[in-house]
Each structure stands twice: as C-alpha cells, then as structure tokens.
Amino acid sequence: MPRNEAEIADAVAGAMERGTAFEIISRGGKRNFGRPVAAGTILDVGALSGILKYEPEELVVSARAATPLAEIEAALAERRQMLGFAPADWSALFGGYAGGATLAGTVATNACGARRVKAGAVRDHVIGCRFVNGSGEAIKAGGNVIKNVTGFDIPKLMCGAFGTLGVLTELTFRVVPKPARSATLALRNCAAEPGLRALRQAAGLPVEPTGLSYLPARALIRVEGGTEALIEKLAILRRIFAAFDVATVEDDTALFREIGEGGVFVGRATDIWRLCVASSAAYAALQASKAQFWYADWAGGLLWLGLPADEETARRLRGVAAQLGGHATLMRGSAEARARLAVFEPEARARSTLTAAVKAAFDPRRLFNPGRMVEEL
C-alpha cells in the first residue's frame, strides 16, 4: 500500500528483481470487469488521493489518481463546472457501493455516461497524467493546460488500458461549465424500432442533444441551455415528434446518471454484455442478439444486453459485431466465464501486434495486471 509515487516506483523495482506481477487497485470497484488478473500480489494505490490543483478560469483540474469521483464532482459543482463526459460510476454494478469510483478507475476503464453522444469519451477530456512504468520510472505526460498536449498522446493511451501499461499517480482533466438548465422529451409507449429511429433523427436536429437513450417503451431526448434556448429546443422536438405520446421530464439528472451507470441491472441476477455498433444498425443488432432485457444509449450506438456469459452467446455477439462493424464486451460475468471467454473483442493480427508492441514498450516484464485484457499480455 504505497503512500506516494516514489513508493510505487520502489515497489515496481522490487517486483522487477523478484519477477513478480501486480494486480493494481485503488478502491477495487471494477476488479470484476475484465479477465481475472494473473498476479498474486495486490498494489493498492488508494492512498494517492486528493485534489492537487483546480483552476476554474482555465477550466483545468488535477488530482491524485485514487481521488473519488464524488470529491471531484463536488468541488467542480461549487463553481458551476463539471467533467463533460459524465463519468460513470459502475461500482454498484459489480456489487460495490455507489460512490466508490475513482479517477484512475474511470480512466482505466474509459467509463463515460450518456453525455458521450455529444461530449465524447474520457480520452477526449484527459489532458495529462503522471504514472510509473514497468521499469520503475516516474513519467509525466501531457500538460496542465490544453495547448501543451502535443506529440504522441500518452494520457489518451491510458484510457481503456485497464491498468496494463502503468500505475497512474496523477491525472489532469479539462472541465466544462454546467448547463444552466436541462430537460428531457420522453416519447412514451413507443416500440424499439421507431424509438431508436427517433433517437437517430433527434441526433441530426439543431438542438444539440446531450442524451439519447431508449428504455423499455420510452425514447429519451435530453437538451440543455438557458431558459429561452431550452424552450425553443423543446418546441422543435415536439413539432418533429408530434405523432408520439410525448411528455417532458424536468429533473433528469438522476435518470441519465442511472442510464450511464447501468443502474437498471443493479440487483438483477444476469450477466451483462455491451454491444457497440453504428446507431443505424442498432435495431438489427438488437434482433440478432436475441436479448429480452436490454436498453440503449448513445442514440442506439451502445446496447446494454442481459445475456448469459457462455460460448453460444459469445459466438452470436461476435458474429453480430463482425457483420455490423462493431464490438462486443462481456461487462459482467463470473470469474470462470471471464477466464474462459474473450471478454473484449478479439483483435485482428495487425492490431494485436501493435498492442503487444505498446505493452512491451511500457511494461516489458508484464508486471501490471497481466492477462486483464488479453491472456498473453
């Protein structure tokens, strides 16, 4: 349990000498996302917590890697700012407690919520980091201001790497102003095909939607802005979707947070797959998946599917992904299933060669989370 970056570097140096590997955790809320780690030692970096620098005028915040998301969001909220990608706290989804997510875990898993449809993913908002590589070296990448991000973008490379490239110690994000108001137009009592089609249509309208989700029999379109702008945007949506049974949801913050965090699956005893396809292919992918319990986000570009973690389902979803140009991820399943199946979309040979080369450059001795994403790495 190192207390700072220097102690992490010492721990890595010791692991190099012994030839041992680490499973890296901060609060451990996502330990069951990904393949089981082939390491007998835990490197707990939970002590590296706290905001280091917050410059509201520059729209930049820096914090230690294990800082709770809730702490960051509370500090930003005091200045009417936020992390634009709507970080998703998946802790409860894996049996933990809501509020357990940290900055490092969010970056490692690229955990973003419903706002991705407008604001992009985590990697579009992280602009700097410090980390310890597999040679025990402390490295600073990126900068404290957006204009300093040049050359090969290591902070973005860390997003979605599941801790396999280095031990994050500090992270710097750009932040955005909070919208003055938001409201959601709900298209009620609509079936999946017309509902998903309506979300795609809404995405192309001049209303800049920041949430496009489909729950059973409801398509949800969130818009934001000042009072007058919001009235105008809602009027456009009501006119375009006049044929639907529409209602307005004013207090939509909790609703879209639940959507981004997989809240409808919390407490439900089912394995979970996430299938990403072009939004235009969402209904076809849904039909081919044979899922009975599901919902959609990102205008249909992301499908949350309650399906078993078995070989038949894996083959079916991989086939759908190959046919429609997407990718399927086993998000929640037993340790045995996650060890047996490919949790992440198998890579083509050229890409897997590149992945192996990147891993070798950052962690040549395979000290960090070995096997978390790919068995051989």
Side-chain angles (χ1 to χ4, degrees):
M1 298 181 65
R3 294 166 295 179
N4 51 49
E5 185 178 80
E7 291 188 5
I8 291 175
D10 289 342
V12 173
M16 291 169 57
E17 293 178 3
R18 296 187 300 271
T20 57
F22 291 122
E23 178 181 4
I24 306 166
I25 67 169
S26 51
R27 290 192 174 187
K30 302 182 189 70
R31 288 184 72 189
N32 293 328
F33 185 13
R35 301 184 71 258
V37 175
T41 303
I42 289 175
L43 184 65
D44 185 343
V45 299
L48 277 70
S49 180
I51 296 173
L52 297 168
K53 183 186 295 185
Y54 176 30
E55 300 176 334
E57 296 78 14
E58 298 295 329
L59 298 176
V60 171
V61 63
S62 298
R64 294 185 179 90
T67 306
L69 268 179
E71 181 179 333
I72 297 291
E73 291 178 322
L76 298 180
E78 290 181 1
R79 303 300 294 267
R80 296 288 305 167
Q81 295 179 348
M82 64 182 187
L83 294 169
F85 58 92
D89 181 357
W90 293 331
S91 304
L93 200 63
F94 294 100
Y97 60 92
T102 64
L103 282 185
T106 301
V107 168
T109 57
N110 204 29
C112 51
R115 289 184 63 89
R116 178 172 179 169
V117 74
K118 167 115 172 46
V122 181
R123 60 174 55 92
D124 299 306
H125 296 259
V126 61
I127 60 174
C129 68
R130 288 185 63 93
F131 66 98
V132 176
N133 69 7
S135 299
E137 301 167 325
I139 295 174
K140 180 180 184 294
N144 286 337
V145 292
I146 299 169
K147 64 183 179 182
N148 284 349
V149 180
T150 59
F152 188 61
D153 205 331
I154 291 176
K156 284 182 171 55
L157 193 63
M158 292 293 176
C159 297
F162 281 73
T164 59
L165 299 181
V167 186
L168 289 167
T169 60
E170 295 178 15
L171 290 155
T172 299
F173 291 86
R174 63 183 175 93
V175 302
V176 298
K178 272 196 167 185
R181 291 181 57 199
S182 72
T184 295
L185 193 75
L187 312 183
R188 302 181 298 188
N189 303 312
C190 64
E193 187 172 18
L196 291 169
R197 185 167 59 246
L199 294 179
R200 294 197 303 276
Q201 185 178 1
L205 296 176
V207 296
E208 298 182 312
T210 61
L212 292 166
S213 308
Y214 182 89
L215 300 177
R218 281 192 301 163
L220 304 172
I221 306 167
R222 179 176 62 185
V223 289
E224 299 172 339
T227 301
E228 292 185 4
L230 204 59
I231 291 173
E232 182 179 352
K233 290 177 180 181
L234 288 172
I236 292 172
L237 292 174
R238 289 193 186 97
R239 184 173 67 252
I240 296 296
F241 300 111
F244 289 86
D245 174 14
V246 302
T248 303
V249 181
E250 295 288 349
D251 187 12
D252 54 16
T253 302
L255 174 62
F256 277 94
R257 181 177 287 272
E258 182 179 27
I259 289 170
E261 295 178 353
V264 298
F265 284 98
V266 174
R268 182 177 287 265
T270 178
D271 299 327
I272 303 171
W273 291 80
R274 299 205 331 162
L275 179 61
C276 291
V277 294
S279 59
S280 59
Y283 186 69
L286 175 64
Q287 293 293 98
S289 76
K290 300 183 180 180
Q292 298 300 309
F293 185 77
W294 64 277
Y295 73 92
D297 205 358
W298 309 344
L302 170 64
L303 299 173
W304 290 73
L305 309 172
L307 288 169
D310 57 28
E311 285 81 359
E312 179 184 350
T313 301
R315 282 195 299 271
R316 183 165 66 249
L317 294 182
R318 301 293 181 213
V320 172
Q323 181 181 1
L324 300 177
H327 57 88
T329 301
L330 174 58
M331 184 157 189
R332 189 174 75 183
S334 68
E336 187 274 334
R338 289 182 287 112
R340 185 180 72 254
L341 303 173
V343 171
F344 304 97
E345 191 73 26
E347 295 181 324
R349 177 173 296 180
R351 183 173 178 129
S352 65
T353 299
L354 178 60
T355 298
V358 171
K359 174 69 171 178
F362 283 82
D363 180 22
R365 295 172 177 82
R366 296 182 59 203
L367 301 179
F368 304 140
N369 286 351
R372 181 82 183 267
M373 299 189 76
V374 182
E375 184 175 4
E376 297 79 17
L377 299 178

